[in-house]
Amino acid sequence: MDAPRASLLVVDDEPTIRELLATSLRFAGFEVDLAGTGAQALERIERKRPDLVVLDVMLPDMDGFAVVRRLRRRRERDRLPVLFLTARNGVGDKVGGLSAGGDDYLTKPFSVAELIARIEAVLRRTGGYPDDGRLVVADLELDPVAHRVWREGRTVALSPTEFRLLAHLMANAGRVQPKARIAEEVWNHDFGGDFSIVESYVSYLRRKVDPGPRKLIHTVRGVGYVLRHPQG
């Protein structure tokens, strides 16, 4: 049997939700432990340190923010990654969760695929997974070794040129890429100042990578393109 991808602690006071998440995450290859209260979560973490905690904010004894603040006060536990789950989607709640020491924040209802993608991204970002060269921006992930791409946990099929273009944009996430530089890096050609092929391939890429409302690829008029985290 293969070793688990990582060990998770799922904390939620709703038994149905707890078991559903446990079943889905185990099927995805994770080792999963469960807790229904903040006190149980702290005890489980003390007894068997997981690689990441999936933590509901609304718990019967203390809220998830209080749980994380207690964890962060224990210096030996300060790097334990935490992903909050909550039905509250206000900006203030998100800021509060991240300020309390959370690493990510997922609002209910959510898809299991997105949860898994977020877990994997947090684990890589915090060192829970070895650095294998993968690129991760929000819920978009690119594996240069396996030559695979995922968005919200779903596989995205790309042509070799589309893959190179996306890899370039992700490697330079947050930095505007002029069309001339994209042409040079992706095609090793300057196209004599005619960058219509760059524009066409960005359009192809958007249809596959950015079909929903949370856009990652943005046009900077008169300059080029930038891939960045969705706003809000």
Side-chain angles (χ1 to χ4, degrees):
M1 180 181 293
D2 294 336
R5 298 162 72 179
S7 61
L8 310 177
L9 173 64
V10 174
V11 187
D12 196 297
D13 64 334
E14 293 288 340
T16 302
I17 295 176
R18 263 200 323 268
E19 293 302 327
L20 174 62
L21 292 178
T23 299
S24 300
L25 292 170
R26 285 169 181 151
F27 184 77
F30 294 101
E31 177 184 338
V32 182
D33 194 9
L34 300 174
T37 67
Q40 287 177 0
L42 292 168
E43 184 272 331
R44 298 281 201 283
I45 292 166
E46 188 66 31
R47 182 164 49 86
K48 182 182 178 184
R49 179 183 169 89
D51 295 310
L52 180 143
V53 180
V54 178
L55 179 61
D56 190 25
V57 171
M58 302 300 292
L59 296 172
D61 54 343
M62 67 182 85
D63 66 31
F65 300 158
V67 173
V68 172
R69 282 192 289 268
R70 292 194 185 190
L71 287 177
R72 297 306 185 230
R73 285 199 294 266
R74 302 177 186 179
R75 294 192 61 183
E76 74 277 10
R77 305 296 188 195
D78 64 355
R79 295 310 305 151
L80 178 61
V82 175
L83 189 156
F84 282 117
L85 301 179
T86 180
R88 305 188 303 199
N89 60 2
V91 173
D93 294 317
K94 295 179 182 179
V95 171
L98 298 176
S99 298
D103 296 276
D104 204 350
Y105 193 106
L106 190 56
T107 304
K108 298 177 181 179
F110 55 84
S111 70
V112 173
E114 182 179 6
L115 174 61
I116 291 171
R118 296 285 191 97
I119 289 171
E120 292 179 330
V122 170
L123 285 169
R124 273 187 295 276
R125 195 164 65 238
T126 57
Y129 280 158
D131 183 6
D132 57 3
R134 292 194 184 196
L135 299 172
V136 179
V137 179
D139 53 10
L140 177 65
E141 183 177 348
L142 181 147
D143 185 336
V145 177
H147 213 273
R148 297 184 65 189
V149 172
W150 302 265
R151 180 81 197 266
E152 294 185 350
R154 294 188 293 273
T155 299
V156 179
L158 299 180
S159 71
T161 301
E162 291 166 347
F163 187 90
R164 289 197 305 273
L165 173 58
L166 181 61
H168 175 73
L169 292 174
M170 292 183 71
N172 293 279
R175 298 189 292 270
V176 177
Q177 299 301 295
K179 294 176 184 178
R181 184 178 179 192
I182 293 173
E184 181 180 350
E185 294 291 332
V186 177
W187 284 271
N188 195 27
H189 199 289
D190 62 12
F191 297 114
D194 179 6
F195 301 120
S196 57
I197 189 169
V198 175
E199 296 164 1
S200 295
Y201 269 87
V202 169
S203 178
Y204 302 153
L205 196 58
R206 278 176 162 154
R207 290 176 203 160
K208 295 180 178 182
V209 171
D210 262 352
R214 288 166 52 84
K215 304 299 183 186
L216 295 172
I217 303 172
H218 303 270
T219 300
V220 179
R221 195 169 301 280
V223 182
Y225 304 94
V226 61
L227 187 146
R228 61 172 180 255
H229 284 257
Q231 300 300 308

